[in-house]
Amino acid sequence: MDTLMNFAPWQQALFATLFTWAVTALGSALVFAFKTIRSHALALMYGFAAGVMIAASFWSLLDPAINLAEQQDRIPWLVVGIGFAAGGFFLYLADKIIPGIYLKRARTEGSSRAAVKRAILLVFSITLHNIPEGLAVGVAFGAIGAAGNGEQAAMLLAATTVAIGIGLQNFPEGAAVSIPLRQGGMSRFRAFMYGQASGAVEPIAGVLGALLVASVNSLLPYALSFAAGAMIYVACKELIPEAHARTKEESHWAIFGIMAGFTLMMVLDVALG
């Protein structure tokens, strides 16, 4: 932590988002070891990532946003409400860019070609929502530069927590892209390259987010709550449904993962923050 404090916020954001990209690549690399992954394991991974993101969205983003809004003599619930809703709506608009009708059709077809088509569409979908995820990390690190000297250590811990949370949810996403491509007949290397490429936008978005927040301090509580809204949207739209879909009747595996992820992140945030 002390070493990270020697770098500028945008550099910290770059290191953090390179980490989240690396975790995406690590998940994609499972294609070299497995052609399939047991549904229970995937349900646990998706659920765990969702639980981590839900906990981090409050303790690492919304709670600091509320405190900052109070310090700036603003109406906390209004500031946080606007930012949170904007984050979720931004992800909703991003999802609409992908032609969902084709994705649904591909899911109903049984051929390997349909599976490849579905996975490639998933690459674009995940890439799109990785942009605001990168922004979320960048915003969290950009907040360090805007905070007072006494608050910088706590803000660094919060930002690191956000990066870890997003990195954890990137792991099953990388596997969820690469393994279906492999099952569809694509080579292991190409499947891996498609999977890891979905996280390549995060370092760019992270640096932009850090620079924006560092230069416009008044946007900080909005930006933090925006990032929280984006994370909740991803958890509810992508991770939780995917976790339940993996096990169908045995949905308790997804629930166990969500509870474990939430509990771990809550304990870390409260104990260390």
Side-chain angles (χ1 to χ4, degrees), residues 7-256:
F7 293 94
W10 72 266
Q11 293 173 315
Q12 296 168 348
L14 177 60
F15 298 148
T17 46
L18 286 174
F19 161 76
T20 60
W21 182 12
V23 177
T24 304
L26 188 62
S28 299
L30 290 178
V31 77
F32 293 109
F34 307 99
K35 193 171 182 177
T36 60
I37 296 180
R38 293 186 64 181
S39 59
H40 293 167
L42 276 175
L44 279 170
M45 284 193 292
Y46 276 110
F48 185 84
V52 166
M53 291 184 71
I54 293 170
S57 68
F58 175 74
W59 275 282
S60 297
L61 293 172
L62 287 176
D63 190 42
I66 291 170
N67 293 331
L68 284 167
E70 290 175 343
Q71 292 172 15
Q72 295 176 359
D73 293 326
R74 301 185 181 187
I75 304 173
W77 62 264
L78 181 60
V79 171
V80 172
I82 291 173
F84 187 84
F89 188 65
F90 180 80
L91 263 291
Y92 168 78
L93 292 178
D95 274 347
K96 289 299 181 182
I97 297 176
I98 296 298
I101 185 172
Y102 295 110
L103 185 58
K104 290 177 182 177
R105 286 178 183 172
R107 283 175 175 163
T108 63
E109 298 171 12
S111 66
S112 60
R113 182 178 179 182
V116 172
K117 180 180 179 181
R118 175 177 177 266
I120 290 175
L121 286 171
L122 184 61
V123 171
F124 287 106
S125 178
I126 290 176
T127 299
L128 282 173
H129 85 238
N130 276 349
I131 295 173
E133 287 176 9
L135 285 170
V137 177
V139 162
F141 279 95
I144 299 171
N149 291 332
E151 300 175 343
Q152 288 186 345
M155 295 299 289
L156 177 59
L157 179 61
T160 303
T161 301
V162 172
I164 292 173
I166 290 179
L168 285 173
Q169 69 93 26
N170 280 357
F171 184 85
E173 281 185 359
V177 172
S178 295
I179 288 177
L181 286 172
R182 174 60 181 159
Q183 289 175 317
M186 188 175 288
S187 70
R188 294 180 190 273
F189 179 75
R190 286 188 65 194
F192 166 76
M193 292 303 294
Y194 271 110
Q196 64 82 32
S198 65
V201 296
E202 290 192 356
I204 300 171
V207 171
L208 290 176
L211 291 174
L212 176 63
V213 172
S215 60
V216 187
N217 187 39
S218 61
L219 292 178
L220 185 53
Y222 291 99
L224 289 173
S225 52
F226 177 95
M231 290 180 70
I232 290 294
Y233 186 95
V234 171
C236 295
K237 173 69 166 56
E238 303 285 345
L239 299 177
I240 295 176
E242 193 68 28
H244 283 288
R246 295 289 173 175
T247 51
K248 297 180 180 179
E249 293 85 4
E250 299 181 63
S251 60
H252 57 271
W253 289 102
I255 296 170
F256 289 160

